[in-house]
Amino acid sequence: MSLTLNDIKHPKISTWVNEMIAMCEPDNVVVVDGSREEYDALMQKCVKAGLATPLKKKENCYLFRSLPSDVARVESRTFISSVKEEDAGPTNHWIDPAQLKQTMRELYKGCMHGRTMYVIPFCMGPLGSAISKNGIEITDSEYVVLNMDIMTRAGKKVLDIFNADINADFVPCLHSVGKPLRKCESDNGIWPCADVEYKYITQFPEEHLVWSYGSGYGGNALLGKKCFALRIATVLARDEGWLAEHMLILKLTNPKGEVKYVTGAFPSACGKTNLAMLIPTIPGWKVETIGDDIAWMKFGKDGRLYAINPEAGFFGVAPGTSAESNKNALISAEKNTIYTNCALTEDGDVWWEGIGYPAKGKLVDWKGKTRDALPKDKAPKGEEMAHPNARFTAPAKQCPCIAKEWEDPAGVPISAILFGGRRPSTIPLVHQSLSWNHGVFLGSIVGSEITAASTIDASQVGKIRRDPFAILPFCGYNMGDYFKHWIEIGKKTSEDKLPKIFYVNWFRKDPNNAKLPGGFMWPGYGDNSRVLAWIFDRCDGVDNAKETPIGYMPKDGAINTEGLADYYKETLPEITKVDVEGWKKELADVKENHYPKFGKHLPKELSEIIDMIQDRLNKA
Ligand code: GTP
Ligand code: SPV
Ligand code: MN
């Protein structure tokens, strides 16, 4: 059944693979066919090597534990290696491509000794979609193959596309864990990866090429995801006139049965998966999922933007996921799922902080240590049973609320784009931009408290950093030029056909109000449907908004509060008004500390917007 190098008929792919074999010197080479038998055999290999634990309580589910040094993306070791430094821009790390290739070639030389090289043909997006794109990932990690099997369309069906069109484009993605084995040596239960100073997650934007070395973790190693579908795809999108974004895609149905599609960009671990799978608390409304992390949007013939989800699975944050917060995610991950860095229970199930019930008896924590379950479901920072960035990899088709059109090759027409982040103050629950360019401005100032997904440095967690369009760690070129690209997109069609742009904030805090769970002034999760409903009606031009200095905001009573706890009804006026002084400070900070970074790459339109809003605030 399994495929070999002889099954590759696409000359450019063959040549590239053979060059990589010569450099990495694997013991064997396998071309991944994507079959169930292959998946099962690879999983058994991981179990034998002591890397995967089968979960007795969940059908075909396995737990992996990484090394503590390999639990998240490593932004300090992530590079946009463009020919000119200026093209990487002020927000990316850059090394000259010739120099970096030399360094990495030294590392790759013989790096697959004792290992199998897997060649994975994969497609980002529904097969046959004009918006989809193909790649080949080479890896020496079985964990990566298994995850790519869930997260992308991978295997023979994609190889067939290449073999049918031997000139078909592909994005070459090379990955190694950077841990060669000596003869007869095995991983022996230890997650293979390299020390941090040898990790490199490199994008070569001019060549549309990815080289990743030394990490086995999700965003560093599943190269179809952030490396290709965002860092390389942002470059393709710029050149071809479309958008590649760190966005969820959801389908929203109102009580009359009318449908709108919405995308949303929130920084890592700020609620995309949760919003995409939300169960509305207001009657008659329905949310269904198209995607939870990445959206590719292209103009259709009708001048509207159509979005596809380039992925086929969810690589979701486990901690905080409970039957109450995100039941649909839990059900998605009930079977055929890979868990990473969760805790293991005595009866063979996974557990994490915020799963919604206390653990019993003894647990094996994410570091592999057996510990007594804590009486409460919260451990002190740094001593969690599951790592705060523990993840589940689950097939999207298992999601109970997956939309029937989630694999439609045409994509879905987008009516609204949301931006958001964790902002404890200033930013209101929701406001709508006054224009497309004002919306681009709102995207450009997105900021958030730092979360565990983006750093391995716990001391940084909680500080605020700007994360424009939630794409700061994922933009493959100069962020100033990326802003310009968004302005240009707004000129390609008439304003009425463009999605409306909103800024939302579920994370306002009042630490002095003891009644509020977690100090949050808004319940979030399913109650975010109340805001989605307002947005839906905005898109239809319903008279539910008032114009304020910062944009359109809900009229009094326009947010449905039926069934909301009294203490949230009391906080609602505070989070739905303009904090004039807070906004003045916000804009001053953007002007002094954020925008100057982009120099001449900052589009003048954004400076004009900031002046306009400052002016409006001064008159308020
Ligand atoms: P990535 O996969 O890292 O890109 O993250 P994501 O944006 O998909 O984040 P996710 O939905 O997994 O949410 C991460 C964390 O935010 C979880 O701990 C959630 O419980 C929490 N969260 C999500 N939505 C809300 C909300 O509306 N309110 C509050 N307070 N917390 C939320
Ligand atoms: C994120 O960090 O935004 C993720 C997880 O979605 S990773 O794929 O590791 O980037
Ligand atoms: Mn993400």
Side-chain angles (χ1 to χ4, degrees), residues 225-226 246 268 272 293 391 474:
K225 198 169 171 53
K226 297 306 187 353
H246 190 207
S268 303
K272 289 184 298 300
D293 197 48
R391 299 252 169 186
F474 311 120

Side-chain angles (χ1 to χ4, degrees), residues 8-161:
I8 302 176
K9 308 293 179 204
H10 185 294
K12 262 195 176 161
I13 295 177
S14 293
T15 305
W16 176 66
V17 171
N18 281 313
E19 281 170 15
M20 297 306 107
I21 293 170
M23 179 164 73
C24 302
E25 301 171 3
D27 282 15
N28 315 293
V29 181
V30 168
V31 177
V32 168
D33 66 18
S35 66
R36 177 69 197 253
E37 298 73 45
E38 181 188 66
Y39 184 96
D40 292 344
L42 286 174
M43 192 59 92
Q44 285 320 307
K45 195 171 172 185
C46 293
V47 172
K48 281 211 187 81
L51 298 172
T53 308
L55 297 174
K56 286 191 213 106
K57 284 284 188 177
K58 286 188 162 64
E59 183 190 331
N60 195 31
C61 288
Y62 295 82
L63 171 68
F64 286 75
R65 276 180 220 112
S66 79
L67 279 193
S69 60
D70 206 31
V71 293
R73 287 181 288 103
V74 273
E75 291 176 12
S76 62
R77 307 296 308 162
T78 300
F79 300 92
I80 300 300
S81 188
S82 45
V83 174
K84 285 195 278 176
E85 182 170 7
E86 192 172 352
D87 291 335
T91 58
N92 284 309
H93 297 292
W94 177 86
I95 298 176
D96 173 75
Q99 185 194 331
L100 186 49
K101 275 199 174 159
Q102 198 182 344
T103 307
M104 290 188 75
R105 270 201 201 99
E106 285 302 313
L107 293 169
Y108 279 128
K109 203 172 167 345
C111 71
M112 295 189 186
H113 283 182
R115 296 197 184 272
T116 298
M117 173 191 276
Y118 300 93
V119 180
I120 316 170
F122 67 94
C123 177
M124 299 311 290
L127 294 180
S129 165
I131 312 178
S132 299
K133 293 198 181 280
N134 300 315
I136 302 280
E137 176 160 355
I138 288 178
T139 181
D140 54 6
S141 160
E142 287 80 19
Y143 173 84
V144 166
V145 179
L146 294 163
N147 277 272
M148 285 291 284
D149 251 326
I150 298 174
M151 294 304 296
T152 72
R153 285 97 178 156
K156 184 169 182 306
K157 52 190 182 280
V158 183
L159 187 63
D160 288 344
I161 295 174

Side-chain angles (χ1 to χ4, degrees), residues 136-452:
I136 302 280
E137 176 160 355
I138 288 178
T139 181
D140 54 6
S141 160
E142 287 80 19
Y143 173 84
V144 166
V145 179
L146 294 163
N147 277 272
M148 285 291 284
D149 251 326
I150 298 174
M151 294 304 296
T152 72
R153 285 97 178 156
K156 184 169 182 306
K157 52 190 182 280
V158 183
L159 187 63
D160 288 344
I161 295 174
F162 286 126
N163 287 346
D165 176 6
I166 58 165
N167 294 311
D169 261 350
F170 70 103
V171 172
C173 304
L174 173 63
H175 171 255
S176 171
V177 293
K179 195 90 200 314
L181 296 169
R182 284 183 292 270
K183 278 268 166 295
C184 304
E185 193 187 7
S186 111
D187 285 316
N188 210 6
I190 297 169
W191 173 270
C193 67
D195 290 342
V196 87
E197 64 268 34
Y198 297 109
K199 293 187 208 272
Y200 287 92
I201 320 301
T202 305
Q203 286 66 212
F204 299 98
E206 286 91 357
E207 292 177 73
H208 306 161
L209 170 67
V210 181
W211 276 12
S212 167
Y213 183 89
S215 169
Y217 171 79
N220 303 329
L222 314 177
L223 302 186
K225 198 169 171 53
K226 297 306 187 353
C227 301
F228 175 178
L230 288 175
R231 297 197 191 98
I232 296 298
T234 48
V235 170
L236 298 169
R238 174 199 62 193
D239 297 342
E240 299 168 2
W242 51 283
L243 294 170
E245 301 299 327
H246 190 207
M247 288 181 179
L248 67 98
I249 312 167
L250 63 82
K251 173 185 181 183
L252 184 58
T253 307
N254 74 0
K256 288 188 217 154
E258 295 160 342
V259 169
K260 292 193 197 304
Y261 301 94
V262 177
T263 63
F266 312 148
S268 303
C270 290
K272 289 184 298 300
T273 303
N274 278 270
L275 194 73
M277 298 178 191
L278 158 159
I279 301 171
T281 52
I282 46 176
W285 289 81
K286 189 155 87 177
V287 167
E288 290 162 279
T289 311
I290 311 268
D292 82 324
D293 197 48
I294 299 175
W296 285 356
M297 288 183 271
K298 274 192 183 162
F299 284 106
K301 286 198 184 75
D302 60 0
R304 297 187 67 190
L305 275 172
Y306 284 75
I308 62 157
N309 171 10
E311 304 190 277
F314 308 126
F315 185 59
V317 179
T321 308
S322 68
E324 207 182 327
S325 68
N326 194 348
K327 193 172 182 186
N328 289 322
L330 277 188
I331 298 172
S332 307
E334 259 312 300
K335 53 184 182 190
N336 309 318
T337 293
I338 297 169
Y339 290 91
T340 306
N341 290 334
C342 301
L344 176 68
T345 65
E346 277 173 326
D347 60 353
D349 205 346
V350 277
W351 189 88
W352 50 74
E353 280 71 18
I355 199 168
Y357 51 86
K360 288 195 205 86
K362 293 209 180 293
L363 291 181
V364 182
D365 71 10
W366 70 273
K367 291 180 181 163
K369 214 170 112 189
T370 303
R371 288 160 63 187
D372 288 323
L374 299 159
K376 282 220 184 111
D377 104 340
K378 245 194 153 44
K381 241 194 178 128
E383 288 173 41
E384 292 88 354
M385 290 287 184
H387 187 272
N389 192 39
R391 299 252 169 186
F392 55 82
T393 317
K397 61 171 186 279
Q398 291 182 185
C399 181
C401 61
I402 198 81
K404 64 177 188 324
E405 57 274 58
W406 83 281
E407 296 193 279
D408 187 338
V412 294
I414 300 304
S415 296
I417 295 174
L418 318 185
F419 293 116
R422 291 173 184 263
R423 293 297 307 265
S425 65
T426 312
I427 312 292
L429 179 64
V430 59
H431 68 298
Q432 182 190 352
S433 76
L434 298 161
S435 64
W436 176 263
N437 283 356
H438 180 214
V440 175
F441 162 79
L442 292 177
S444 80
I445 69 165
V446 166
S448 195
E449 288 184 311
I450 295 173
T451 63

